[in-house]
Amino acid sequence: MGENPAKNHYAQLNQGEENEMEIFGYKTQGCRRALCIAGYILSCGALRLLFYWKPEWDVWINCIRCSLEEADIVLLRTTDDFQTYSRKTVTWISVSAFIKSRSDYPATEEDSIFSKAIMKPSLLVKTIQVQKIHYVWNVYTKQFQKVGVLEDHYTCSAIHDKFGSGLTCNEQNVRRVMCGPNTIDVPVIPIWKLLIKEVLNPFYVFQLFSVCLWFAEDYMEYAIAIIFMSLLSIFLAVYDLRKQSIKLHRLVESHNNIMVTVCRNKEGFQELESHYLVPGDLLILKEGKTLLPCDAILVSGQCTVNESMLTGESIPVTKIHLPQADNLKPWRVYCAEDYRKHVLFCGTEVIQTKADDRGVVKAVVLQTGFNTAKGDLVRSILYPKPMNFKLYRDALRFLMCLIAFAAIGMIYTVCVFALNGEETGEVVKKALDVITIAVPPALPAALTTGIIYTQQRLKKKGIFCISPQRINMCGQLNLVCFDKTGTLTEDGLDLWGLLPSERNCFQNIHSFPADHGLPWGPVFKALAVCHSLIVWEGKIQGDPLDVKMFEATNWVIDDSSGHQNEDQGSTHATVVRPGLQATTAPVEGITILRQFPFSSALQRMSVIAQEIGGDPQAFIKGAPETVAMLCRAETVPSNFESKLLLYTAQGFRVIGLACKSLQAGKPPAALTREEVESDLTFLGLLIMENRLKRDTKPVLEELSAARIRSVMVTGDNIQTAITVAKSAGMIAPTHRVILVEANKVPGSFSASITWKSLEENKTEDYRSLLLLNGTVFARMSPSQKSSLVEEFQKLDYFVGMCGDGANDCGGRPCCSCHFLLHVQVHGTVQHNSVPWCSPALLVSFTRAYPKLVPYRPPSQLISPPLLLSVVLNTLFSLSMQIFGFVVVQEQPWYSQTDIHSACLSVNNRERNSSSSLGLPGVRDGAHEQTDNGYRSYENTTVWLLSTINCLIVALVFSKGKPFRQPIYTNYVFILVLIGQLGICLFLMFADIDDLYSKMDLVCTPTSWRISMVGMLAVTLAVSFLVEEAVIENRPLWLLLKKTFQYHSKSHYKRLQHVLEQDSAWPPLNETFFSDSVAVTVEGNMGGHSNPTFDSSEDSL
């Protein structure tokens, strides 16, 4: 039964967001509910368990469809490939205690969701909670809407006007009831809950069914062993979940209860606990260190924040207040990518505040609880996004194959036992027993321990994974995006030189380090003030570029100074003064009045500074091309472009400097960024050297040898990035480099793409997919980097991103495909075997191979090599057992009725001592021993062969090179395997009457036992030979693919294949715009083969 979206029954939740869901309305029906309860009782809870696994069935059977407005139950479905369902109950909350009349709710809230959610005259609010987020029913738009956030439609001026004075008590109380407390509450889950949740896993329910069946068949030993393995698996899983729950609880609990100061409308300042905060509250930030308990928009003053908890960067970040722009654009749209410069994030630490002329530093609460940036991070851990739909789909197909296999075996078993006249109960038990064999009992334990072992190996290398299911995808990576500065190159920058400009001409270059200091002038002042540095814990902290630049002046920061300005009163400002080693300066110091922090979108930063006793000036630094465009043309040297190309082509990082004088009468706080950053005077170029890290080139060479494409994604200049890419080996010396520049066409929504040959410097227009061929992507903002990764993924690349703080490339977890199928074959051949601790639990102890290979593990669970390996090993095992079953019947000592015909001495001894042994079947003569149907030469032969064959399968499937180290390096696995083999051989050759009798074995001649060892040896040799000569023979599979003209289904491989057939590629002297129609596989896109990456890792 599926969903048929109808009017008002269906809607979308969080449309366009990552956690987008479809929501359906249902109403509980009493008679259906009563029938289901009766079904729960009659099925002994089985129906309830089924509904626990399939919540959509629960809703469909218990409820009837209705509009969302009438619904008391909603069914949610994710919009990803998995389409996971969840069931939520609608609740009602009352706000009547806070709203006695309409006058109690101000008119300013009419456009707010907090007003639109209140049903009149009942004053009730309809709400649901999904993944820790509260949603309320919007009475006007007839849909559920998220609360706990400040609506996005507010403009900059509206935020200042509506929330600049704070909320009233009534407004605050109503919002608190709807939003819930401002806490990121992650309680430690009780062990009994974790245990129940784990035990109710379908795997373990099936295990319980299997164990009960085996006990009924008196198969005690095997059942006890499986119980032990299952308990071990459950214990490991519960222990790991409990440990993670405790860690997460400790991580977030410290920020849940902080004393804060808020401003109440008409009531002044008020101290309260942070969990009372609601969106729209006006937060007062006092001097000193403060932990942020929510996300907030800075509306006055300036802050310096430590965001290391969220970003991993220890560099302090400067936050400036939201401008009071009088426009109709929502504030996020107006601020574009720079909106983060105005937002203080939950969990970060304010280490310094600077008030402006408006008094104290204020911030409007933007988001609370799990809606905050920190809350979103915690939710991503609590509710990880499912990964690898292809593996999930293949696993379902494989399971269907197992069910079909079990069904065939079940039908055969029923027919055989029914024809032999067995009792109905025995027939049922034997038929069900076949089903228990289809799903290997060791699978849950093997999956759990495999992930845990892998996480531990990664942790030892300093790699932490918050989403363990992503580990299985790491072996499929075929493209890695690298940031440049701090990742491929060293974290710090070294000043190389300064190229000043005066009167439209570049002057002599000033090299660093130099015997003489920089001369006093505008360039010197720019280096001294154009930064966002602070003094924190006695040290100058900030961006490494700013630190190096400021240290070159030998000045110091006096961060405790107050600045007195006429008409503004006293404000906190940063003052820089000459240090002890500084050259003589004609000023006492320079005060930094205002900062416009660096913007990745604008590619520049600027400050307003004033010499003590002088006039204010503006200083700007940023990307040279950007700075030059903002300067007056007469101040920019005519050879600007050639000089810039000269230094960037050598791999230097180049920064442009500029300045302008400001009118003394206008206060700095009243100036906009556009006014400050216009009509500038060009000052020169600051040249900085950024060296490659020692590990960069070897790592990139290893990736290249493994046919893993490397791409550089940087915000730096394209020429600098190309030089670094060449030095690092990402671009070979023999390769031709083509520059591609995207430009917005004036007066049009289209964009043009221009291609330039780097060597010839001629403009050529090409048609291509840049993603398929680009190696260096420069001048990329953070959001563009994220978009680039997503676009690569759309081409079916498996992408890894390596940026600052994530430079460890040593983690190479192994693919689990062989591992899963190994467990399955183990289960298929284990029928009538002694219970062993499955070696599959120990395979994960084998470490990763120290070198990457130029192809990937199979990405599909049912890929031809894996499937063929499973089928062939199953056939080998089956053939050996059938051969032993048939050949034993041809032996001269074989007897179907006398199980002691092979060992007469043992037979006589058993007859004479039957009364003393008291063994079943022996006490009343030899004939009765054959009546139980278990003790026979066939069963003894097949059992011994299949038991040792399990060890053969374990050894054959425990592959080493190329993805793992040789299996003999896994000492625990080898010791267990040798121990189990020793026990098997002991059982085969030990003539211990009591042991054989208890295990329903019979004595066979020594020659036959040696023959069985020979059969096993032949099987082992054939299995190894086939695995090495066929399954692991990569040239053979590539030949087969070429013979049958198999082509990869990956989008990027198909594009490459199409362009190889395009004789007209590349087109010359053509211009392409964003609204042009290009060619693809389907006829609307295009691309060509990238000479720097020609992978042959197609999945087999």
Side-chain angles (χ1 to χ4, degrees), residues 38 44 119 312 378 481 488 490 502 519 566 670 745 867 894 936 1088:
C44 299
M119 295 184 179
V378 174
C481 296
L488 297 176
E490 296 288 353
E502 291 182 12
E566 189 177 347
V745 179
L867 199 58
Y894 171 80
S936 66
H1088 67 83

Side-chain angles (χ1 to χ4, degrees), residues 395-413 431 434-439 824 828:
L396 283 180
R397 290 176 180 174
F398 189 62
L399 186 60
M400 292 300 105
C401 293
L402 296 180
I403 292 174
F405 178 72
I408 295 171
M410 187 175 176
I411 294 170
Y412 173 79
T413 303
V434 175
I435 298 178
T436 64
I437 296 172
V439 178
Q824 177 51 44
T828 306

Side-chain angles (χ1 to χ4, degrees), residues 873-895:
N873 277 278
T874 302
L875 290 176
F876 294 156
S877 302
L878 187 61
S879 300
M880 179 189 62
Q881 293 177 32
I882 293 174
F883 181 79
F885 183 86
V886 172
V887 172
V888 73
Q889 297 177 8
E890 303 298 326
Q891 300 304 308
W893 41 263
Y894 171 80
S895 173

